[in-house]
Amino acid sequence: MAVGFIITIVGLHFRSRNRYRLSLQSIEQRLLERLNQENEEKIQALLDEHNNKVLQDCVKQVESDRQRIGILLTDLANRFGTLSKRLVGQGEEITGRVGAERLPIEALIADLSQRINALVSHLDEQYAVSAKQEQGIVGLDSLCQRILPIWSNQVEMARVHTEESIADLAQRFDALSQRLDAAVTRSQNTVEGDKNSQGGIVELLKDSQLELSAITKALGTSLEDKVQLFRSIEDLSCFTEKLSKMASEVSSIASQTNLLALNAAIQSARAGDAGRGFSVVAEEVRKLSRSSGDVGRKITETIESVNEAIEDTLKVSRRFARQDKATLDNAEQIIAVVLKHFSQAAAGLVDSEELLRTENKAINHEISDVFVDLQFQDRVSQILTLVGSDLNKLEQHLNALKNEQTIEGLSRSLDVEQWLKELSTTYTMEEQLAAHDGAKKAIMTKQSNITFF
Amino acid sequence: MAKIILFVEDSASVRQVMSSTLTREGYQVILAIDGQDALTKLDGRKIHLIISDVNMPKMDGLAFVKASKQIPSYRFTPVIMLTTETQAEKMNEGKAVGVKAWIVKPFQPPQLLAAVSQLIQA
């Protein structure tokens, strides 16, 4: 029973618990539904509010965009008007709406569309006219295709001919300059001597002057020695006078001795036989005195002969000395005159050499200037090369266009602006660019500065 | 010992005159008619200075200078450009590849000689 009771109690407990849970679920369900409904209402309200705001913003944005588009369309219409004027002609317009009051966008677009159609029609007419005109120049392409290589060849021939001629000219000027330098160097060496210590005319003249001075000095010295010799000879004549006097004295002594011997002989004769021996001695003394007298006379005669010889020698020597002096004086004068002439000639040569050197310097400067002028060829060559290259390019382009048209039936086209732009990028000189833009500018001929980096 | 100069020029007249002028000043001159020809001359021999034109057939001067700077022996060899080119862009290009001086034709030979002397002594 108790078990049955407990089971009943437990069964009731679970039943009541289940009911409670169901009740709670029901309440929870209702609460959720109510909350969802409230949330949806709030969300809807917020969405409505947001949509209204977005709508207002969009309306404003659309209005703003419409205004901006309107301005752009008006500007486009104005620009289109300008374009139309340029394409069609000054003062002529496709439509009369340019500059009108601001119109609605749709009206602007319609107006613009109408004007574009009108312009396209006009351009079609123009194209038709130009096509007719183009067809009018029959054979222009063929002419270009044939004449362009000829022009190109002519330009190249002119360029090569100029280059060869200028190179030859430059070589000749260079040879002239070298020959002139060599001539000046030779002249300088002749006048002043060269680096190998070979004396020139000026040095030779100085040496000759010194050598000739030495010779005249030696001759002068020789003349002085002769004068000294004359004096010695004259002194010798003094000695002969003394010798003559001494010879006279010898003769006088001999005469007195002879007289003395004669007196001795007389006295010995008076003495008789006692004096006979003395008489012999006296006789011998007389003989000696006579001999002495003879010798004295001979000495005197010899001295006179010597004196005459010395006198004759002195006369001849004095005459020679006068001649030598005259010859020496004359030689000095002649040497002085000759050296003077040589000096004048050498001075003239020095002046000529200096003039030659100055002229050579001036001519070399001129040749240097000529070389600057000759450099035009290099610049002209570059210009002609570029022109020739562009002619070739045009010829190739025309050939390509012709092939395209023949093979594929494509319309011919040439982007002139692009062509000119490409050509302008190939220039190397300012003058080329200036000429490209239509200016007439001479090729620069003045020397330029160096830029060091 | 004469200093050696490589002279690269397509114009025969300029080549003729400058070769003679440089030789008379005591330099030894090696001639080339364009950049490609000049590169064949850079065979390891000592070269003290390079003078080059810019616009030449086959290989232009700036391309040649650029190529020469890749060869270790000639990396520091001074270069003078001798050209009709006056545009600043080209000059800047030359400066960028290592050119030391830019002379625009026409020029006076003494003008070039002064630049040569200055760069060879530097």
Side-chain angles (χ1 to χ4, degrees), chain A residues 123-147:
Chain A
L123 287 176
D124 285 344
E125 287 171 12
Q126 290 292 317
Y127 179 76
V129 171
S130 357
K132 282 179 185 173
Q133 285 176 346
E134 194 170 293
Q135 285 170 0
I137 309 173
V138 178
L140 181 61
D141 288 355
S142 301
L143 174 66
C144 284
Q145 281 171 333
R146 293 188 65 181
I147 199 75

mmCIF file with all atom_site columns, all heavy atoms in Angstrom, chain A residues 123-147:
data_model
loop_
_atom_site.group_PDB
_atom_site.id
_atom_site.type_symbol
_atom_site.label_atom_id
_atom_site.label_alt_id
_atom_site.label_comp_id
_atom_site.label_asym_id
_atom_site.label_entity_id
_atom_site.label_seq_id
_atom_site.pdbx_PDB_ins_code
_atom_site.Cartn_x
_atom_site.Cartn_y
_atom_site.Cartn_z
_atom_site.occupancy
_atom_site.B_iso_or_equiv
_atom_site.pdbx_formal_charge
_atom_site.auth_seq_id
_atom_site.auth_comp_id
_atom_site.auth_asym_id
_atom_site.auth_atom_id
_atom_site.pdbx_PDB_model_num
ATOM 1   N N   . LEU A 1 123 ? 30.160 66.509 -91.663  1.00 0.00 ? 123 LEU A N   1
ATOM 2   C CA  . LEU A 1 123 ? 31.462 65.868 -91.865  1.00 0.00 ? 123 LEU A CA  1
ATOM 3   C C   . LEU A 1 123 ? 31.401 64.840 -92.985  1.00 0.00 ? 123 LEU A C   1
ATOM 4   O O   . LEU A 1 123 ? 32.364 64.693 -93.749  1.00 0.00 ? 123 LEU A O   1
ATOM 5   C CB  . LEU A 1 123 ? 31.938 65.213 -90.566  1.00 0.00 ? 123 LEU A CB  1
ATOM 6   C CG  . LEU A 1 123 ? 32.401 66.183 -89.486  1.00 0.00 ? 123 LEU A CG  1
ATOM 7   C CD1 . LEU A 1 123 ? 32.757 65.434 -88.211  1.00 0.00 ? 123 LEU A CD1 1
ATOM 8   C CD2 . LEU A 1 123 ? 33.597 67.000 -89.946  1.00 0.00 ? 123 LEU A CD2 1
ATOM 9   N N   . ASP A 1 124 ? 30.285 64.138 -93.067  1.00 0.00 ? 124 ASP A N   1
ATOM 10  C CA  . ASP A 1 124 ? 30.133 63.178 -94.161  1.00 0.00 ? 124 ASP A CA  1
ATOM 11  C C   . ASP A 1 124 ? 30.218 63.891 -95.511  1.00 0.00 ? 124 ASP A C   1
ATOM 12  O O   . ASP A 1 124 ? 30.866 63.416 -96.450  1.00 0.00 ? 124 ASP A O   1
ATOM 13  C CB  . ASP A 1 124 ? 28.784 62.453 -94.044  1.00 0.00 ? 124 ASP A CB  1
ATOM 14  C CG  . ASP A 1 124 ? 28.817 61.405 -92.929  1.00 0.00 ? 124 ASP A CG  1
ATOM 15  O OD1 . ASP A 1 124 ? 29.952 61.066 -92.499  1.00 0.00 ? 124 ASP A OD1 1
ATOM 16  O OD2 . ASP A 1 124 ? 27.747 60.953 -92.493  1.00 0.00 ? 124 ASP A OD2 1
ATOM 17  N N   . GLU A 1 125 ? 29.547 65.050 -95.548  1.00 0.00 ? 125 GLU A N   1
ATOM 18  C CA  . GLU A 1 125 ? 29.612 65.828 -96.803  1.00 0.00 ? 125 GLU A CA  1
ATOM 19  C C   . GLU A 1 125 ? 31.045 66.243 -97.100  1.00 0.00 ? 125 GLU A C   1
ATOM 20  O O   . GLU A 1 125 ? 31.532 66.132 -98.222  1.00 0.00 ? 125 GLU A O   1
ATOM 21  C CB  . GLU A 1 125 ? 28.733 67.088 -96.681  1.00 0.00 ? 125 GLU A CB  1
ATOM 22  C CG  . GLU A 1 125 ? 27.251 66.785 -96.724  1.00 0.00 ? 125 GLU A CG  1
ATOM 23  C CD  . GLU A 1 125 ? 26.429 68.035 -96.389  1.00 0.00 ? 125 GLU A CD  1
ATOM 24  O OE1 . GLU A 1 125 ? 27.019 69.138 -96.360  1.00 0.00 ? 125 GLU A OE1 1
ATOM 25  O OE2 . GLU A 1 125 ? 25.226 67.890 -96.129  1.00 0.00 ? 125 GLU A OE2 1
ATOM 26  N N   . GLN A 1 126 ? 31.709 66.724 -96.023  1.00 0.00 ? 126 GLN A N   1
ATOM 27  C CA  . GLN A 1 126 ? 33.106 67.148 -96.204  1.00 0.00 ? 126 GLN A CA  1
ATOM 28  C C   . GLN A 1 126 ? 33.979 65.986 -96.666  1.00 0.00 ? 126 GLN A C   1
ATOM 29  O O   . GLN A 1 126 ? 34.850 66.145 -97.503  1.00 0.00 ? 126 GLN A O   1
ATOM 30  C CB  . GLN A 1 126 ? 33.668 67.693 -94.872  1.00 0.00 ? 126 GLN A CB  1
ATOM 31  C CG  . GLN A 1 126 ? 33.070 69.010 -94.450  1.00 0.00 ? 126 GLN A CG  1
ATOM 32  C CD  . GLN A 1 126 ? 33.484 70.139 -95.383  1.00 0.00 ? 126 GLN A CD  1
ATOM 33  O OE1 . GLN A 1 126 ? 34.632 70.221 -95.773  1.00 0.00 ? 126 GLN A OE1 1
ATOM 34  N NE2 . GLN A 1 126 ? 32.537 70.974 -95.771  1.00 0.00 ? 126 GLN A NE2 1
ATOM 35  N N   . TYR A 1 127 ? 33.767 64.818 -96.018  1.00 0.00 ? 127 TYR A N   1
ATOM 36  C CA  . TYR A 1 127 ? 34.556 63.633 -96.369  1.00 0.00 ? 127 TYR A CA  1
ATOM 37  C C   . TYR A 1 127 ? 34.348 63.273 -97.837  1.00 0.00 ? 127 TYR A C   1
ATOM 38  O O   . TYR A 1 127 ? 35.293 62.946 -98.558  1.00 0.00 ? 127 TYR A O   1
ATOM 39  C CB  . TYR A 1 127 ? 34.156 62.463 -95.467  1.00 0.00 ? 127 TYR A CB  1
ATOM 40  C CG  . TYR A 1 127 ? 34.916 61.199 -95.788  1.00 0.00 ? 127 TYR A CG  1
ATOM 41  C CD1 . TYR A 1 127 ? 36.236 61.056 -95.385  1.00 0.00 ? 127 TYR A CD1 1
ATOM 42  C CD2 . TYR A 1 127 ? 34.307 60.167 -96.501  1.00 0.00 ? 127 TYR A CD2 1
ATOM 43  C CE1 . TYR A 1 127 ? 36.938 59.909 -95.690  1.00 0.00 ? 127 TYR A CE1 1
ATOM 44  C CE2 . TYR A 1 127 ? 35.001 59.012 -96.815  1.00 0.00 ? 127 TYR A CE2 1
ATOM 45  C CZ  . TYR A 1 127 ? 36.322 58.883 -96.409  1.00 0.00 ? 127 TYR A CZ  1
ATOM 46  O OH  . TYR A 1 127 ? 37.013 57.762 -96.716  1.00 0.00 ? 127 TYR A OH  1
ATOM 47  N N   . ALA A 1 128 ? 33.066 63.386 -98.233  1.00 0.00 ? 128 ALA A N   1
ATOM 48  C CA  . ALA A 1 128 ? 32.751 63.083 -99.639  1.00 0.00 ? 128 ALA A CA  1
ATOM 49  C C   . ALA A 1 128 ? 33.482 64.051 -100.560 1.00 0.00 ? 128 ALA A C   1
ATOM 50  O O   . ALA A 1 128 ? 34.064 63.657 -101.583 1.00 0.00 ? 128 ALA A O   1
ATOM 51  C CB  . ALA A 1 128 ? 31.238 63.162 -99.857  1.00 0.00 ? 128 ALA A CB  1
ATOM 52  N N   . VAL A 1 129 ? 33.474 65.333 -100.142 1.00 0.00 ? 129 VAL A N   1
ATOM 53  C CA  . VAL A 1 129 ? 34.160 66.348 -100.959 1.00 0.00 ? 129 VAL A CA  1
ATOM 54  C C   . VAL A 1 129 ? 35.646 66.033 -101.020 1.00 0.00 ? 129 VAL A C   1
ATOM 55  O O   . VAL A 1 129 ? 36.267 66.054 -102.087 1.00 0.00 ? 129 VAL A O   1
ATOM 56  C CB  . VAL A 1 129 ? 33.917 67.761 -100.358 1.00 0.00 ? 129 VAL A CB  1
ATOM 57  C CG1 . VAL A 1 129 ? 34.796 68.786 -101.051 1.00 0.00 ? 129 VAL A CG1 1
ATOM 58  C CG2 . VAL A 1 129 ? 32.454 68.139 -100.503 1.00 0.00 ? 129 VAL A CG2 1
ATOM 59  N N   . SER A 1 130 ? 36.254 65.728 -99.784  1.00 0.00 ? 130 SER A N   1
ATOM 60  C CA  . SER A 1 130 ? 37.708 65.454 -99.781  1.00 0.00 ? 130 SER A CA  1
ATOM 61  C C   . SER A 1 130 ? 38.042 64.205 -100.558 1.00 0.00 ? 130 SER A C   1
ATOM 62  O O   . SER A 1 130 ? 39.090 64.133 -101.183 1.00 0.00 ? 130 SER A O   1
ATOM 63  C CB  . SER A 1 130 ? 38.287 65.279 -98.392  1.00 0.00 ? 130 SER A CB  1
ATOM 64  O OG  . SER A 1 130 ? 37.462 65.445 -97.459  1.00 0.00 ? 130 SER A OG  1
ATOM 65  N N   . ALA A 1 131 ? 37.131 63.211 -100.477 1.00 0.00 ? 131 ALA A N   1
ATOM 66  C CA  . ALA A 1 131 ? 37.386 61.975 -101.232 1.00 0.00 ? 131 ALA A CA  1
ATOM 67  C C   . ALA A 1 131 ? 37.416 62.295 -102.713 1.00 0.00 ? 131 ALA A C   1
ATOM 68  O O   . ALA A 1 131 ? 38.272 61.794 -103.448 1.00 0.00 ? 131 ALA A O   1
ATOM 69  C CB  . ALA A 1 131 ? 36.293 60.965 -100.917 1.00 0.00 ? 131 ALA A CB  1
ATOM 70  N N   . LYS A 1 132 ? 36.485 63.199 -103.093 1.00 0.00 ? 132 LYS A N   1
ATOM 71  C CA  . LYS A 1 132 ? 36.464 63.591 -104.507 1.00 0.00 ? 132 LYS A CA  1
ATOM 72  C C   . LYS A 1 132 ? 37.763 64.312 -104.865 1.00 0.00 ? 132 LYS A C   1
ATOM 73  O O   . LYS A 1 132 ? 38.361 64.095 -105.908 1.00 0.00 ? 132 LYS A O   1
ATOM 74  C CB  . LYS A 1 132 ? 35.265 64.510 -104.798 1.00 0.00 ? 132 LYS A CB  1
ATOM 75  C CG  . LYS A 1 132 ? 33.957 63.746 -104.917 1.00 0.00 ? 132 LYS A CG  1
ATOM 76  C CD  . LYS A 1 132 ? 32.813 64.717 -105.170 1.00 0.00 ? 132 LYS A CD  1
ATOM 77  C CE  . LYS A 1 132 ? 31.473 63.987 -105.161 1.00 0.00 ? 132 LYS A CE  1
ATOM 78  N NZ  . LYS A 1 132 ? 30.347 64.940 -105.231 1.00 0.00 ? 132 LYS A NZ  1
ATOM 79  N N   . GLN A 1 133 ? 38.175 65.212 -103.888 1.00 0.00 ? 133 GLN A N   1
ATOM 80  C CA  . GLN A 1 133 ? 39.405 65.964 -104.154 1.00 0.00 ? 133 GLN A CA  1
ATOM 81  C C   . GLN A 1 133 ? 40.599 65.024 -104.235 1.00 0.00 ? 133 GLN A C   1
ATOM 82  O O   . GLN A 1 133 ? 41.473 65.169 -105.076 1.00 0.00 ? 133 GLN A O   1
ATOM 83  C CB  . GLN A 1 133 ? 39.634 66.993 -103.036 1.00 0.00 ? 133 GLN A CB  1
ATOM 84  C CG  . GLN A 1 133 ? 38.714 68.197 -103.147 1.00 0.00 ? 133 GLN A CG  1
ATOM 85  C CD  . GLN A 1 133 ? 38.872 69.144 -101.997 1.00 0.00 ? 133 GLN A CD  1
ATOM 86  O OE1 . GLN A 1 133 ? 39.480 68.792 -100.985 1.00 0.00 ? 133 GLN A OE1 1
ATOM 87  N NE2 . GLN A 1 133 ? 38.305 70.323 -102.117 1.00 0.00 ? 133 GLN A NE2 1
ATOM 88  N N   . GLU A 1 134 ? 40.641 64.049 -103.270 1.00 0.00 ? 134 GLU A N   1
ATOM 89  C CA  . GLU A 1 134 ? 41.772 63.117 -103.242 1.00 0.00 ? 134 GLU A CA  1
ATOM 90  C C   . GLU A 1 134 ? 41.848 62.313 -104.519 1.00 0.00 ? 134 GLU A C   1
ATOM 91  O O   . GLU A 1 134 ? 42.900 62.092 -105.083 1.00 0.00 ? 134 GLU A O   1
ATOM 92  C CB  . GLU A 1 134 ? 41.620 62.182 -102.048 1.00 0.00 ? 134 GLU A CB  1
ATOM 93  C CG  . GLU A 1 134 ? 42.883 61.421 -101.730 1.00 0.00 ? 134 GLU A CG  1
ATOM 94  C CD  . GLU A 1 134 ? 42.760 60.712 -100.430 1.00 0.00 ? 134 GLU A CD  1
ATOM 95  O OE1 . GLU A 1 134 ? 42.678 61.384 -99.390  1.00 0.00 ? 134 GLU A OE1 1
ATOM 96  O OE2 . GLU A 1 134 ? 42.717 59.473 -100.449 1.00 0.00 ? 134 GLU A OE2 1
ATOM 97  N N   . GLN A 1 135 ? 40.639 61.918 -104.945 1.00 0.00 ? 135 GLN A N   1
ATOM 98  C CA  . GLN A 1 135 ? 40.620 61.170 -106.197 1.00 0.00 ? 135 GLN A CA  1
ATOM 99  C C   . GLN A 1 135 ? 41.070 62.025 -107.359 1.00 0.00 ? 135 GLN A C   1
ATOM 100 O O   . GLN A 1 135 ? 41.542 61.536 -108.364 1.00 0.00 ? 135 GLN A O   1
ATOM 101 C CB  . GLN A 1 135 ? 39.210 60.638 -106.466 1.00 0.00 ? 135 GLN A CB  1
ATOM 102 C CG  . GLN A 1 135 ? 38.862 59.453 -105.579 1.00 0.00 ? 135 GLN A CG  1
ATOM 103 C CD  . GLN A 1 135 ? 37.399 59.084 -105.660 1.00 0.00 ? 135 GLN A CD  1
ATOM 104 O OE1 . GLN A 1 135 ? 36.634 59.720 -106.386 1.00 0.00 ? 135 GLN A OE1 1
ATOM 105 N NE2 . GLN A 1 135 ? 37.003 58.076 -104.909 1.00 0.00 ? 135 GLN A NE2 1
ATOM 106 N N   . GLY A 1 136 ? 40.954 63.392 -107.097 1.00 0.00 ? 136 GLY A N   1
ATOM 107 C CA  . GLY A 1 136 ? 41.323 64.312 -108.171 1.00 0.00 ? 136 GLY A CA  1
ATOM 108 C C   . GLY A 1 136 ? 42.826 64.314 -108.428 1.00 0.00 ? 136 GLY A C   1
ATOM 109 O O   . GLY A 1 136 ? 43.248 64.552 -109.551 1.00 0.00 ? 136 GLY A O   1
ATOM 110 N N   . ILE A 1 137 ? 43.680 64.070 -107.331 1.00 0.00 ? 137 ILE A N   1
ATOM 111 C CA  . ILE A 1 137 ? 45.134 64.059 -107.526 1.00 0.00 ? 137 ILE A CA  1
ATOM 112 C C   . ILE A 1 137 ? 45.522 62.642 -107.914 1.00 0.00 ? 137 ILE A C   1
ATOM 113 O O   . ILE A 1 137 ? 45.989 61.849 -107.094 1.00 0.00 ? 137 ILE A O   1
ATOM 114 C CB  . ILE A 1 137 ? 45.862 64.515 -106.253 1.00 0.00 ? 137 ILE A CB  1
ATOM 115 C CG1 . ILE A 1 137 ? 45.275 65.824 -105.760 1.00 0.00 ? 137 ILE A CG1 1
ATOM 116 C CG2 . ILE A 1 137 ? 47.349 64.666 -106.515 1.00 0.00 ? 137 ILE A CG2 1
ATOM 117 C CD1 . ILE A 1 137 ? 45.804 66.266 -104.441 1.00 0.00 ? 137 ILE A CD1 1
ATOM 118 N N   . VAL A 1 138 ? 45.316 62.350 -109.122 1.00 0.00 ? 138 VAL A N   1
ATOM 119 C CA  . VAL A 1 138 ? 45.552 60.988 -109.599 1.00 0.00 ? 138 VAL A CA  1
ATOM 120 C C   . VAL A 1 138 ? 47.049 60.722 -109.654 1.00 0.00 ? 138 VAL A C   1
ATOM 121 O O   . VAL A 1 138 ? 47.818 61.536 -110.158 1.00 0.00 ? 138 VAL A O   1
ATOM 122 C CB  . VAL A 1 138 ? 44.921 60.793 -111.001 1.00 0.00 ? 138 VAL A CB  1
ATOM 123 C CG1 . VAL A 1 138 ? 45.206 59.381 -111.525 1.00 0.00 ? 138 VAL A CG1 1
ATOM 124 C CG2 . VAL A 1 138 ? 43.421 61.044 -110.929 1.00 0.00 ? 138 VAL A CG2 1
ATOM 125 N N   . GLY A 1 139 ? 47.447 59.606 -109.065 1.00 0.00 ? 139 GLY A N   1
ATOM 126 C CA  . GLY A 1 139 ? 48.839 59.179 -109.169 1.00 0.00 ? 139 GLY A CA  1
ATOM 127 C C   . GLY A 1 139 ? 49.781 59.795 -108.170 1.00 0.00 ? 139 GLY A C   1
ATOM 128 O O   . GLY A 1 139 ? 50.998 59.640 -108.284 1.00 0.00 ? 139 GLY A O   1
ATOM 129 N N   . LEU A 1 140 ? 49.221 60.537 -107.163 1.00 0.00 ? 140 LEU A N   1
ATOM 130 C CA  . LEU A 1 140 ? 50.108 61.185 -106.185 1.00 0.00 ? 140 LEU A CA  1
ATOM 131 C C   . LEU A 1 140 ? 50.885 60.141 -105.371 1.00 0.00 ? 140 LEU A C   1
ATOM 132 O O   . LEU A 1 140 ? 52.089 60.275 -105.155 1.00 0.00 ? 140 LEU A O   1
ATOM 133 C CB  . LEU A 1 140 ? 49.294 62.087 -105.248 1.00 0.00 ? 140 LEU A CB  1
ATOM 134 C CG  . LEU A 1 140 ? 50.114 62.841 -104.207 1.00 0.00 ? 140 LEU A CG  1
ATOM 135 C CD1 . LEU A 1 140 ? 51.118 63.767 -104.871 1.00 0.00 ? 140 LEU A CD1 1
ATOM 136 C CD2 . LEU A 1 140 ? 49.201 63.624 -103.269 1.00 0.00 ? 140 LEU A CD2 1
ATOM 137 N N   . ASP A 1 141 ? 50.172 59.101 -104.934 1.00 0.00 ? 141 ASP A N   1
ATOM 138 C CA  . ASP A 1 141 ? 50.829 58.046 -104.157 1.00 0.00 ? 141 ASP A CA  1
ATOM 139 C C   . ASP A 1 141 ? 51.928 57.372 -104.962 1.00 0.00 ? 141 ASP A C   1
ATOM 140 O O   . ASP A 1 141 ? 53.040 57.163 -104.479 1.00 0.00 ? 141 ASP A O   1
ATOM 141 C CB  . ASP A 1 141 ? 49.805 56.992 -103.729 1.00 0.00 ? 141 ASP A CB  1
ATOM 142 C CG  . ASP A 1 141 ? 48.889 57.535 -102.651 1.00 0.00 ? 141 ASP A CG  1
ATOM 143 O OD1 . ASP A 1 141 ? 49.156 58.672 -102.212 1.00 0.00 ? 141 ASP A OD1 1
ATOM 144 O OD2 . ASP A 1 141 ? 47.927 56.844 -102.281 1.00 0.00 ? 141 ASP A OD2 1
ATOM 145 N N   . SER A 1 142 ? 51.594 57.068 -106.203 1.00 0.00 ? 142 SER A N   1
ATOM 146 C CA  . SER A 1 142 ? 52.592 56.402 -107.059 1.00 0.00 ? 142 SER A CA  1
ATOM 147 C C   . SER A 1 142 ? 53.796 57.291 -107.257 1.00 0.00 ? 142 SER A C   1
ATOM 148 O O   . SER A 1 142 ? 54.942 56.837 -107.223 1.00 0.00 ? 142 SER A O   1
ATOM 149 C CB  . SER A 1 142 ? 51.974 56.072 -108.417 1.00 0.00 ? 142 SER A CB  1
ATOM 150 O OG  . SER A 1 142 ? 50.879 55.232 -108.221 1.00 0.00 ? 142 SER A OG  1
ATOM 151 N N   . LEU A 1 143 ? 53.485 58.590 -107.455 1.00 0.00 ? 143 LEU A N   1
ATOM 152 C CA  . LEU A 1 143 ? 54.586 59.545 -107.632 1.00 0.00 ? 143 LEU A CA  1
ATOM 153 C C   . LEU A 1 143 ? 55.477 59.551 -106.393 1.00 0.00 ? 143 LEU A C   1
ATOM 154 O O   . LEU A 1 143 ? 56.704 59.495 -106.498 1.00 0.00 ? 143 LEU A O   1
ATOM 155 C CB  . LEU A 1 143 ? 54.027 60.946 -107.897 1.00 0.00 ? 143 LEU A CB  1
ATOM 156 C CG  . LEU A 1 143 ? 55.068 62.055 -107.963 1.00 0.00 ? 143 LEU A CG  1
ATOM 157 C CD1 . LEU A 1 143 ? 55.990 61.867 -109.167 1.00 0.00 ? 143 LEU A CD1 1
ATOM 158 C CD2 . LEU A 1 143 ? 54.416 63.427 -108.016 1.00 0.00 ? 143 LEU A CD2 1
ATOM 159 N N   . CYS A 1 144 ? 54.815 59.616 -105.226 1.00 0.00 ? 144 CYS A N   1
ATOM 160 C CA  . CYS A 1 144 ? 55.577 59.654 -103.970 1.00 0.00 ? 144 CYS A CA  1
ATOM 161 C C   . CYS A 1 144 ? 56.437 58.402 -103.832 1.00 0.00 ? 144 CYS A C   1
ATOM 162 O O   . CYS A 1 144 ? 57.609 58.483 -103.457 1.00 0.00 ? 144 CYS A O   1
ATOM 163 C CB  . CYS A 1 144 ? 54.648 59.777 -102.775 1.00 0.00 ? 144 CYS A CB  1
ATOM 164 S SG  . CYS A 1 144 ? 53.995 61.433 -102.598 1.00 0.00 ? 144 CYS A SG  1
ATOM 165 N N   . GLN A 1 145 ? 55.833 57.270 -104.140 1.00 0.00 ? 145 GLN A N   1
ATOM 166 C CA  . GLN A 1 145 ? 56.564 56.018 -103.991 1.00 0.00 ? 145 GLN A CA  1
ATOM 167 C C   . GLN A 1 145 ? 57.782 55.955 -104.906 1.00 0.00 ? 145 GLN A C   1
ATOM 168 O O   . GLN A 1 145 ? 58.782 55.347 -104.571 1.00 0.00 ? 145 GLN A O   1
ATOM 169 C CB  . GLN A 1 145 ? 55.637 54.836 -104.274 1.00 0.00 ? 145 GLN A CB  1
ATOM 170 C CG  . GLN A 1 145 ? 54.747 54.537 -103.078 1.00 0.00 ? 145 GLN A CG  1
ATOM 171 C CD  . GLN A 1 145 ? 53.686 53.530 -103.406 1.00 0.00 ? 145 GLN A CD  1
ATOM 172 O OE1 . GLN A 1 145 ? 53.266 53.412 -104.560 1.00 0.00 ? 145 GLN A OE1 1
ATOM 173 N NE2 . GLN A 1 145 ? 53.238 52.806 -102.410 1.00 0.00 ? 145 GLN A NE2 1
ATOM 174 N N   . ARG A 1 146 ? 57.683 56.622 -106.032 1.00 0.00 ? 146 ARG A N   1
ATOM 175 C CA  . ARG A 1 146 ? 58.830 56.578 -106.944 1.00 0.00 ? 146 ARG A CA  1
ATOM 176 C C   . ARG A 1 146 ? 59.792 57.732 -106.701 1.00 0.00 ? 146 ARG A C   1
ATOM 177 O O   . ARG A 1 146 ? 61.004 57.574 -106.847 1.00 0.00 ? 146 ARG A O   1
ATOM 178 C CB  . ARG A 1 146 ? 58.330 56.619 -108.395 1.00 0.00 ? 146 ARG A CB  1
ATOM 179 C CG  . ARG A 1 146 ? 57.571 55.358 -108.736 1.00 0.00 ? 146 ARG A CG  1
ATOM 180 C CD  . ARG A 1 146 ? 57.239 55.278 -110.184 1.00 0.00 ? 146 ARG A CD  1
ATOM 181 N NE  . ARG A 1 146 ? 58.432 55.178 -110.996 1.00 0.00 ? 146 ARG A NE  1
ATOM 182 C CZ  . ARG A 1 146 ? 58.416 55.116 -112.318 1.00 0.00 ? 146 ARG A CZ  1
ATOM 183 N NH1 . ARG A 1 146 ? 57.278 55.128 -112.956 1.00 0.00 ? 146 ARG A NH1 1
ATOM 184 N NH2 . ARG A 1 146 ? 59.540 55.032 -112.998 1.00 0.00 ? 146 ARG A NH2 1
ATOM 185 N N   . ILE A 1 147 ? 59.219 58.890 -106.335 1.00 0.00 ? 147 ILE A N   1
ATOM 186 C CA  . ILE A 1 147 ? 60.093 60.062 -106.205 1.00 0.00 ? 147 ILE A CA  1
ATOM 187 C C   . ILE A 1 147 ? 60.837 60.059 -104.860 1.00 0.00 ? 147 ILE A C   1
ATOM 188 O O   . ILE A 1 147 ? 61.957 60.566 -104.767 1.00 0.00 ? 147 ILE A O   1
ATOM 189 C CB  . ILE A 1 147 ? 59.275 61.372 -106.377 1.00 0.00 ? 147 ILE A CB  1
ATOM 190 C CG1 . ILE A 1 147 ? 60.196 62.557 -106.720 1.00 0.00 ? 147 ILE A CG1 1
ATOM 191 C CG2 . ILE A 1 147 ? 58.517 61.730 -105.118 1.00 0.00 ? 147 ILE A CG2 1
ATOM 192 C CD1 . ILE A 1 147 ? 60.696 62.553 -108.110 1.00 0.00 ? 147 ILE A CD1 1
#
